[in-house]
Amino acid sequence: MTETTRGPERDAAGWPILRAAQDIDRDGDNPTTGRNCILGHHQGYHRDEAGAEWLDS
């Protein structure tokens, strides 16, 4: 996504560019410790490198 457009990145033909969840840098921070989630972009519980789990509120 660029600053001038909203939504998913698109290729030359206009199709959305898909990426694996593991390739996305982060998907949330633990509200207690501030550590980021190690699971990539996903739905459900988050987990940090210490093994702590949490849900977005």
Side-chain angles (χ1 to χ4, degrees):
M1 185 164 43
T2 66
E3 292 180 31
T4 58
T5 61
R6 303 207 58 78
E9 294 177 82
R10 301 204 175 257
D11 65 13
W15 288 93
I17 297 172
L18 304 178
R19 297 184 293 161
Q22 294 80 5
D23 294 340
I24 298 173
D25 291 334
R26 52 192 280 166
D27 184 38
D29 293 325
N30 184 326
T32 305
T33 64
R35 293 184 180 120
N36 64 333
C37 179
I38 62 170
L39 300 178
H41 185 70
H42 66 284
Q43 293 181 354
Y45 281 93
H46 296 282
R47 186 176 303 120
D48 64 20
E49 70 261 1
E53 293 184 330
W54 71 95
L55 282 173
D56 290 332
S57 50

PDB file of all heavy atoms in Angstrom, residues 1 6-20:
ATOM      1  N   MET A   1       0.848  -1.165   0.000  1.00  0.00           N
ATOM      2  CA  MET A   1       0.000   0.000   0.000  1.00  0.00           C
ATOM      3  C   MET A   1       0.896   1.231   0.000  1.00  0.00           C
ATOM      4  O   MET A   1       1.869   1.289   0.723  1.00  0.00           O
ATOM      5  CB  MET A   1      -0.903  -0.041   1.227  1.00  0.00           C
ATOM      6  CG  MET A   1      -1.903   1.051   1.263  1.00  0.00           C
ATOM      7  SD  MET A   1      -3.286   0.795   2.425  1.00  0.00           S
ATOM      8  CE  MET A   1      -2.549   0.166   3.870  1.00  0.00           C
ATOM      9  N   ARG A   6      -5.177   3.459  -1.254  1.00  0.00           N
ATOM     10  CA  ARG A   6      -5.587   2.650  -0.118  1.00  0.00           C
ATOM     11  C   ARG A   6      -5.948   1.270  -0.634  1.00  0.00           C
ATOM     12  O   ARG A   6      -6.357   1.114  -1.760  1.00  0.00           O
ATOM     13  CB  ARG A   6      -6.772   3.304   0.587  1.00  0.00           C
ATOM     14  CG  ARG A   6      -6.382   4.721   0.994  1.00  0.00           C
ATOM     15  CD  ARG A   6      -7.065   5.311   2.151  1.00  0.00           C
ATOM     16  NE  ARG A   6      -7.083   4.768   3.439  1.00  0.00           N
ATOM     17  CZ  ARG A   6      -6.102   4.833   4.336  1.00  0.00           C
ATOM     18  NH1 ARG A   6      -4.957   5.321   4.028  1.00  0.00           N
ATOM     19  NH2 ARG A   6      -6.285   4.387   5.550  1.00  0.00           N
ATOM     20  N   GLY A   7      -5.774   0.287   0.227  1.00  0.00           N
ATOM     21  CA  GLY A   7      -6.093  -1.072  -0.160  1.00  0.00           C
ATOM     22  C   GLY A   7      -4.847  -1.864  -0.482  1.00  0.00           C
ATOM     23  O   GLY A   7      -3.736  -1.392  -0.311  1.00  0.00           O
ATOM     24  N   PRO A   8      -5.041  -3.086  -0.973  1.00  0.00           N
ATOM     25  CA  PRO A   8      -3.883  -3.955  -1.227  1.00  0.00           C
ATOM     26  C   PRO A   8      -3.040  -3.462  -2.405  1.00  0.00           C
ATOM     27  O   PRO A   8      -3.539  -2.796  -3.306  1.00  0.00           O
ATOM     28  CB  PRO A   8      -4.520  -5.309  -1.544  1.00  0.00           C
ATOM     29  CG  PRO A   8      -5.881  -4.972  -2.044  1.00  0.00           C
ATOM     30  CD  PRO A   8      -6.292  -3.731  -1.301  1.00  0.00           C
ATOM     31  N   GLU A   9      -1.754  -3.835  -2.393  1.00  0.00           N
ATOM     32  CA  GLU A   9      -0.894  -3.543  -3.534  1.00  0.00           C
ATOM     33  C   GLU A   9      -1.394  -4.344  -4.725  1.00  0.00           C
ATOM     34  O   GLU A   9      -1.911  -5.440  -4.575  1.00  0.00           O
ATOM     35  CB  GLU A   9       0.542  -3.949  -3.221  1.00  0.00           C
ATOM     36  CG  GLU A   9       1.187  -3.149  -2.124  1.00  0.00           C
ATOM     37  CD  GLU A   9       2.572  -3.675  -1.829  1.00  0.00           C
ATOM     38  OE1 GLU A   9       3.497  -3.300  -2.568  1.00  0.00           O
ATOM     39  OE2 GLU A   9       2.691  -4.466  -0.889  1.00  0.00           O
ATOM     40  N   ARG A  10      -1.244  -3.787  -5.930  1.00  0.00           N
ATOM     41  CA  ARG A  10      -1.722  -4.468  -7.131  1.00  0.00           C
ATOM     42  C   ARG A  10      -0.596  -4.590  -8.151  1.00  0.00           C
ATOM     43  O   ARG A  10       0.282  -3.749  -8.217  1.00  0.00           O
ATOM     44  CB  ARG A  10      -2.896  -3.712  -7.723  1.00  0.00           C
ATOM     45  CG  ARG A  10      -4.042  -3.617  -6.713  1.00  0.00           C
ATOM     46  CD  ARG A  10      -5.362  -3.432  -7.384  1.00  0.00           C
ATOM     47  NE  ARG A  10      -6.430  -3.473  -6.402  1.00  0.00           N
ATOM     48  CZ  ARG A  10      -7.222  -4.516  -6.210  1.00  0.00           C
ATOM     49  NH1 ARG A  10      -7.093  -5.588  -6.934  1.00  0.00           N
ATOM     50  NH2 ARG A  10      -8.183  -4.479  -5.308  1.00  0.00           N
ATOM     51  N   ASP A  11      -0.672  -5.664  -8.967  1.00  0.00           N
ATOM     52  CA  ASP A  11       0.328  -5.834 -10.016  1.00  0.00           C
ATOM     53  C   ASP A  11      -0.089  -5.052 -11.256  1.00  0.00           C
ATOM     54  O   ASP A  11      -1.091  -4.335 -11.247  1.00  0.00           O
ATOM     55  CB  ASP A  11       0.547  -7.317 -10.322  1.00  0.00           C
ATOM     56  CG  ASP A  11      -0.677  -8.003 -10.909  1.00  0.00           C
ATOM     57  OD1 ASP A  11      -1.634  -7.314 -11.320  1.00  0.00           O
ATOM     58  OD2 ASP A  11      -0.660  -9.245 -10.975  1.00  0.00           O
ATOM     59  N   ALA A  12       0.660  -5.180 -12.348  1.00  0.00           N
ATOM     60  CA  ALA A  12       0.401  -4.419 -13.570  1.00  0.00           C
ATOM     61  C   ALA A  12      -0.971  -4.724 -14.170  1.00  0.00           C
ATOM     62  O   ALA A  12      -1.578  -3.864 -14.809  1.00  0.00           O
ATOM     63  CB  ALA A  12       1.494  -4.683 -14.594  1.00  0.00           C
ATOM     64  N   ALA A  13      -1.479  -5.935 -13.954  1.00  0.00           N
ATOM     65  CA  ALA A  13      -2.791  -6.315 -14.486  1.00  0.00           C
ATOM     66  C   ALA A  13      -3.934  -5.911 -13.564  1.00  0.00           C
ATOM     67  O   ALA A  13      -5.097  -6.102 -13.895  1.00  0.00           O
ATOM     68  CB  ALA A  13      -2.841  -7.822 -14.729  1.00  0.00           C
ATOM     69  N   GLY A  14      -3.606  -5.362 -12.396  1.00  0.00           N
ATOM     70  CA  GLY A  14      -4.635  -4.936 -11.456  1.00  0.00           C
ATOM     71  C   GLY A  14      -5.003  -5.950 -10.396  1.00  0.00           C
ATOM     72  O   GLY A  14      -5.870  -5.703  -9.570  1.00  0.00           O
ATOM     73  N   TRP A  15      -4.366  -7.112 -10.420  1.00  0.00           N
ATOM     74  CA  TRP A  15      -4.654  -8.142  -9.425  1.00  0.00           C
ATOM     75  C   TRP A  15      -3.934  -7.820  -8.128  1.00  0.00           C
ATOM     76  O   TRP A  15      -2.821  -7.312  -8.133  1.00  0.00           O
ATOM     77  CB  TRP A  15      -4.194  -9.508  -9.925  1.00  0.00           C
ATOM     78  CG  TRP A  15      -5.051 -10.044 -11.024  1.00  0.00           C
ATOM     79  CD1 TRP A  15      -4.850  -9.895 -12.353  1.00  0.00           C
ATOM     80  CD2 TRP A  15      -6.255 -10.780 -10.881  1.00  0.00           C
ATOM     81  NE1 TRP A  15      -5.854 -10.492 -13.052  1.00  0.00           N
ATOM     82  CE2 TRP A  15      -6.738 -11.055 -12.169  1.00  0.00           C
ATOM     83  CE3 TRP A  15      -6.980 -11.240  -9.778  1.00  0.00           C
ATOM     84  CZ2 TRP A  15      -7.905 -11.768 -12.388  1.00  0.00           C
ATOM     85  CZ3 TRP A  15      -8.141 -11.951 -10.004  1.00  0.00           C
ATOM     86  CH2 TRP A  15      -8.593 -12.202 -11.291  1.00  0.00           C
ATOM     87  N   PRO A  16      -4.549  -8.147  -6.971  1.00  0.00           N
ATOM     88  CA  PRO A  16      -3.876  -7.923  -5.682  1.00  0.00           C
ATOM     89  C   PRO A  16      -2.613  -8.774  -5.578  1.00  0.00           C
ATOM     90  O   PRO A  16      -2.583  -9.910  -6.041  1.00  0.00           O
ATOM     91  CB  PRO A  16      -4.895  -8.372  -4.634  1.00  0.00           C
ATOM     92  CG  PRO A  16      -6.188  -8.529  -5.347  1.00  0.00           C
ATOM     93  CD  PRO A  16      -5.889  -8.692  -6.799  1.00  0.00           C
ATOM     94  N   ILE A  17      -1.575  -8.212  -5.003  1.00  0.00           N
ATOM     95  CA  ILE A  17      -0.336  -8.946  -4.774  1.00  0.00           C
ATOM     96  C   ILE A  17      -0.465  -9.668  -3.438  1.00  0.00           C
ATOM     97  O   ILE A  17      -0.683  -9.043  -2.406  1.00  0.00           O
ATOM     98  CB  ILE A  17       0.872  -7.986  -4.755  1.00  0.00           C
ATOM     99  CG1 ILE A  17       1.013  -7.315  -6.125  1.00  0.00           C
ATOM    100  CG2 ILE A  17       2.144  -8.729  -4.370  1.00  0.00           C
ATOM    101  CD1 ILE A  17       2.050  -6.220  -6.157  1.00  0.00           C
ATOM    102  N   LEU A  18      -0.370 -10.986  -3.469  1.00  0.00           N
ATOM    103  CA  LEU A  18      -0.524 -11.803  -2.269  1.00  0.00           C
ATOM    104  C   LEU A  18       0.837 -12.107  -1.668  1.00  0.00           C
ATOM    105  O   LEU A  18       1.808 -12.338  -2.376  1.00  0.00           O
ATOM    106  CB  LEU A  18      -1.242 -13.108  -2.602  1.00  0.00           C
ATOM    107  CG  LEU A  18      -2.609 -12.952  -3.266  1.00  0.00           C
ATOM    108  CD1 LEU A  18      -3.184 -14.327  -3.590  1.00  0.00           C
ATOM    109  CD2 LEU A  18      -3.559 -12.170  -2.377  1.00  0.00           C
ATOM    110  N   ARG A  19       0.900 -12.099  -0.341  1.00  0.00           N
ATOM    111  CA  ARG A  19       2.127 -12.439   0.382  1.00  0.00           C
ATOM    112  C   ARG A  19       1.780 -13.425   1.479  1.00  0.00           C
ATOM    113  O   ARG A  19       0.696 -13.391   2.033  1.00  0.00           O
ATOM    114  CB  ARG A  19       2.749 -11.185   1.006  1.00  0.00           C
ATOM    115  CG  ARG A  19       3.188 -10.176  -0.025  1.00  0.00           C
ATOM    116  CD  ARG A  19       3.877  -9.004   0.612  1.00  0.00           C
ATOM    117  NE  ARG A  19       2.925  -8.240   1.426  1.00  0.00           N
ATOM    118  CZ  ARG A  19       3.272  -7.396   2.380  1.00  0.00           C
ATOM    119  NH1 ARG A  19       4.534  -7.204   2.664  1.00  0.00           N
ATOM    120  NH2 ARG A  19       2.369  -6.732   3.058  1.00  0.00           N
ATOM    121  N   ALA A  20       2.728 -14.290   1.808  1.00  0.00           N
ATOM    122  CA  ALA A  20       2.541 -15.253   2.896  1.00  0.00           C
ATOM    123  C   ALA A  20       2.522 -14.514   4.227  1.00  0.00           C
ATOM    124  O   ALA A  20       3.187 -13.495   4.400  1.00  0.00           O
ATOM    125  CB  ALA A  20       3.669 -16.282   2.894  1.00  0.00           C
TER     126      ALA A  20
END
